[in-house]
Amino acid sequence: MKRRDLIKYLSVAPLVGGVVGAGIPFLSANAAVSTAAKRDLIKELGLRTFINAAGTYTTHTASLMHEDVLEAINGSSTHFIMIGDIQDKVGEKIAALCHAESAMVTAGCWSALVLGTAGVLTGTDLKKIAQLPNLDGFQKTQMIVQKAHNIAYVHAPTNTGIEVVEVETAEDLEKAINEKTAMMWFLNLASNEGKIKHEEWIAIAKKHKIPTMIDIAADIPPVQNLWKFNDLGFDLVCVSGGKAIRGPQSAGILMGKADLIKAARLNAPPFGNNIGRGMKVNKEEILGMYAALDHYMKLDHDKEWKDWEARVAVIETAVKSVAGVTTTVTVPPIANHNPLLNIAWDTTKVKMTSDDLALELRNGSPSIEIMKFSPNSINITVFMLKPGEDKIVAKRVQEELSKAS
Ligand SMILES: *Cc1c(COP(=O)(O)O)cnc(C)c1O
């Protein structure tokens, strides 16, 4: 039977699995059906896929989900389940894993920041929820932030209408606290730059009974950060799901005090007439987020770290064979905490700019994405590489640098 005829036959055969499969020993019926049904949208739309030696960038679609996550997504996609029930159950599980009272899956860390802040402002008052981002008549309308923490991510909580009050020292903070203070916000990424550290921030907040929120979006690994800030006493902790945890790119976690999570959920779908209505997370993403977290927590993190170091060494060794090329490995202390390889070259020996190199790698086969760092250096991370891709990256970067020598 010709392939075309076989497919035609299979599509009308009543008992595809049993009868047909038995009659065609060289090809199982299921395999034939799935071959016929397989549609490659990446090819069809002419989309470029690439080896991600850059990192968990939103532009690069951040991370790839594990098989466990895909199973959670596929397994739930053929059933109806009440969305509230999924949030309840998954929230309980995540809270237990991360030492929080309660948790919810959000549309990324950004949405956790918005919904958490909304919950702080409104509590469970439906009138207040409907009024956001207009805070007329609200008693508490301000959020205190350290100057060094007041960077782009503050845009998330301010979606609620909350006003930012900047402070630098603990003394400033004590002075800034007043009857309008709704929340004290902390950006973990900037904790080395800010003058007030976590413990002091929390102690002052507790003294004045003000809720605290911390943004730790990209600060996993280390895995311990998943519970550290709950243990320290932050009332709300916001994490990205689609970065190194490798959940759905559009998912995140808001966890913390039960009353605040309850209030945050009222500001989110499936409820309407609130600012969170557009921050929908579907059942597949909620379950996928849980599967990713569960998977991540069970990983052998020491082994993973050694694998990353081994990959970096493969690339380092290859590129250093080119005269004029030097490498350095650093580990960012907070956020994207994994080995970062910088490859630099002496432009009198290697006549190429980082723009040229990035373009050659992008246009090569397979396509590779790295990060330009300076006109004569690039950065590479290996935590988003699939096994074996380190060798391809090593070969390609070495090839291009040699060509320009
Ligand atoms: C990535 C990031 C966010 C946004 O997180 P998403 O999960 O992409 O919504 C917020 N804050 C910081 C510090 C981040 O790095």
Side-chain angles (χ1 to χ4, degrees), residues 108-110 153 187 215 217-218 240 243:
C109 179
W110 191 274
Y153 301 105
L187 177 65
D215 174 351
S240 285
K243 292 178 181 169

Side-chain angles (χ1 to χ4, degrees), residues 12 44 167 223 287 346:
V12 295
E44 195 177 314
V167 297
V223 64
L287 290 163
D346 176 346

Side-chain angles (χ1 to χ4, degrees), residues 121-177:
L121 289 169
T122 63
T124 55
D125 183 335
L126 295 179
K127 264 224 218 78
K128 283 185 168 172
I129 289 170
Q131 198 186 307
L132 251 49
N134 170 0
L135 300 182
D136 287 350
F138 280 52
Q139 201 211 341
K140 295 181 189 296
T141 55
Q142 296 180 346
M143 164 176 107
I144 303 179
V145 181
Q146 293 184 68
K147 192 172 180 207
H149 296 218
N150 191 5
I151 58 175
Y153 301 105
V154 159
H155 201 135
T158 59
N159 268 289
T160 61
I162 205 166
E163 180 199 345
V164 173
V165 175
E166 251 188 24
V167 297
E168 278 191 77
T169 63
E171 226 181 340
D172 291 349
L173 175 56
E174 289 280 4
K175 271 191 229 143
I177 293 172

Side-chain angles (χ1 to χ4, degrees), residues 58 107-111 113 153 187 189 215-219 239-243 249-252 335-336:
T58 303
C109 179
W110 191 274
S111 136
L113 295 163
Y153 301 105
L187 177 65
L189 172 64
D215 174 351
I216 61 161
D219 307 346
V239 196
S240 285
K243 292 178 181 169
Q249 190 190 2
S250 45
N336 301 301

